[in-house]
């Protein structure tokens, strides 16, 4: 009977928002635990009360949202699709556990998010923990793309592209030779098999190198037909 009664009644956003005691208690707890100084909290409250979009959100929290976005004033339309996740407590607006930042404070919040000059994904992850506003991810990407400090270090850390090589058809058809350390080792690597041979050289003369290569080739290289 309870299920039938619930499904037969029209959906009432106002009733859901006002009577959801669990949601209200959660928001109150979040407000108490908000990691924000009293000065910063007062700044947020004052900015929220002056923000035309958030003033509408607070109004709709009390009275219920319009049935369609067309009936929402332009300044509050960006919040419409989040309306079921928004709540109000102590003059602050929350999206679930994240405080909604008024327009006037968003630039300073972006600077705080990016103060360590982290990349886009890390900055977004920091934002997801504590703050929200519509299109915040786009604003983070735009800010970082125009950050002069990030741009300077990005140019310094550009990696050289890998240079590919042709794969040989026979073992030891193509090799790399180099010496290693102060004792003049001959290191031979085969591009096809990835086999590596290391032998010590008495000196770096061509005769000594050839003498060391001959037994390697005799062991590993097949004669072409």
């Amino acid at each position: 009977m309870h299920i039938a009664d619930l499904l037969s009644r029209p959906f009432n956003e106002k009733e859901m928002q006002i009577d959801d005691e669990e949601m209200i208690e959660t928001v109150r707890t979040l407000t108490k635990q908000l990691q924000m100084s009293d000065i910063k909290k007062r700044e947020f409250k004052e900015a929220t009360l002056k923000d035309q979009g958030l003033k509408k959100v607070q109004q709709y929290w009390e009275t219920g949202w319009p049935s369609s976005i067309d009936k929402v004033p332009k300044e509050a339309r960006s919040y419409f699709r989040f309306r079921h996740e928004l709540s109000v407590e102590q003059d602050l607006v929350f999206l679930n556990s994240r405080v909604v930042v008024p327009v006037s404070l968003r630039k300073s919040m972006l600077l705080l998010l990016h103060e360590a000059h982290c990349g886009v994904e890390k900055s977004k992850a920091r934002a997801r923990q504590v703050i929200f506003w519509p299109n915040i991810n786009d604003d983070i990407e735009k800010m970082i793309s125009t950050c002069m400090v990030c741009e300077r270090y990005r140019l310094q850390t550009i990696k050289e592209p890998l240079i590919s090589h042709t794969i040989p058809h026979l073992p030891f058809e193509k090799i790399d030779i180099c010496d290693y350390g102060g004792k003049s080792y001959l290191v031979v690597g085969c591009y096809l098999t990835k086999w590596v041979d290391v032998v010590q050289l008495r000196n770096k003369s061509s005769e000594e190198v050839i003498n060391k290569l001959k037994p390697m080739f005799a062991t590993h290289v097949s004669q072409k037909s």
Side-chain angles (χ1 to χ4, degrees):
M1 291 296 293
H2 290 292
I3 294 176
D5 180 58
L6 176 64
L7 295 178
S8 64
R9 287 184 294 162
F11 178 73
N12 188 320
E13 289 185 345
K14 178 180 178 181
E15 179 180 326
M16 181 196 72
Q17 292 171 331
I18 301 301
D19 293 343
D20 192 342
E21 295 296 336
E22 183 178 354
M23 170 64 79
I24 294 174
E25 185 58 35
T26 299
V27 174
R28 286 175 178 166
T29 302
L30 289 169
T31 308
K32 293 176 182 177
Q33 296 178 349
L34 197 61
Q35 298 298 313
M36 189 183 294
S37 67
D38 291 339
I39 295 176
K40 180 61 69 174
K41 190 178 294 186
R42 184 164 58 251
E43 181 184 7
F44 259 72
K45 288 182 179 181
E46 291 174 355
T48 298
L49 292 173
K50 294 177 182 178
D51 189 290
Q52 295 303 311
L54 291 180
K55 283 175 65 176
K56 276 295 179 183
V57 170
Q58 291 177 322
Q59 176 186 330
Y60 292 144
W61 166 253
E62 295 291 338
T63 63
W65 283 82
S67 57
S68 69
I69 193 171
D70 296 335
K71 298 178 181 179
V72 178
K74 184 178 180 180
E75 61 269 18
R77 286 182 181 177
S78 59
Y79 297 102
F80 184 78
R81 66 190 183 101
F82 306 105
R83 62 194 183 281
H84 300 312
E85 303 167 76
L86 293 168
S87 53
V88 179
E89 177 66 23
Q90 296 183 16
D91 296 326
L92 294 175
V93 179
F94 289 85
L95 179 90
N96 297 322
S97 62
R98 300 157 66 184
V99 64
V100 179
V101 181
V103 173
S104 62
L105 298 180
R106 291 176 187 176
K107 184 176 181 180
S108 61
M109 290 298 103
L110 284 172
L111 294 175
L112 283 174
L113 280 174
H114 193 52
E115 62 181 348
H117 295 283
C118 299
V120 171
E121 295 308 317
K122 286 187 178 180
S123 297
K124 288 180 181 179
R126 291 185 68 187
R128 282 194 294 269
Q129 294 175 351
V130 287
I131 61 175
F132 169 82
W133 65 80
N135 301 317
I136 184 174
N137 287 340
D138 293 342
D139 291 342
I140 290 173
E141 291 175 6
K142 182 178 179 180
M143 176 195 63
I144 294 178
S145 69
T146 57
C147 175
M148 299 302 295
V149 174
C150 291
E151 182 66 21
R152 183 167 68 250
Y153 283 99
R154 190 181 300 120
L155 292 174
Q156 292 178 359
T157 57
I158 293 177
K159 295 181 179 179
E160 291 292 330
L162 293 175
I163 301 176
S164 60
H165 61 83
T166 56
I167 299 176
H169 299 289
L170 295 172
F172 282 74
E173 181 180 345
K174 185 177 181 181
I175 62 173
D176 267 340
I177 302 175
C178 60
D179 59 356
Y180 176 79
K183 295 185 178 181
S184 296
Y185 289 92
L186 176 65
V187 181
V188 180
C190 174
Y191 273 64
L192 178 64
T193 64
K194 310 303 180 185
W195 180 270
V196 176
D197 259 333
V198 181
V199 293
Q200 188 172 358
L201 298 172
R202 291 178 298 179
N203 55 64
K204 296 182 180 180
S205 66
S206 58
E207 181 180 3
E208 174 69 4
V209 172
I210 291 171
N211 287 336
K212 296 297 183 182
L213 287 174
K214 282 181 178 179
M216 291 185 190
F217 291 164
T219 302
H220 300 295
V221 179
S222 301
Q223 294 293 325
K224 292 184 179 180
S225 57

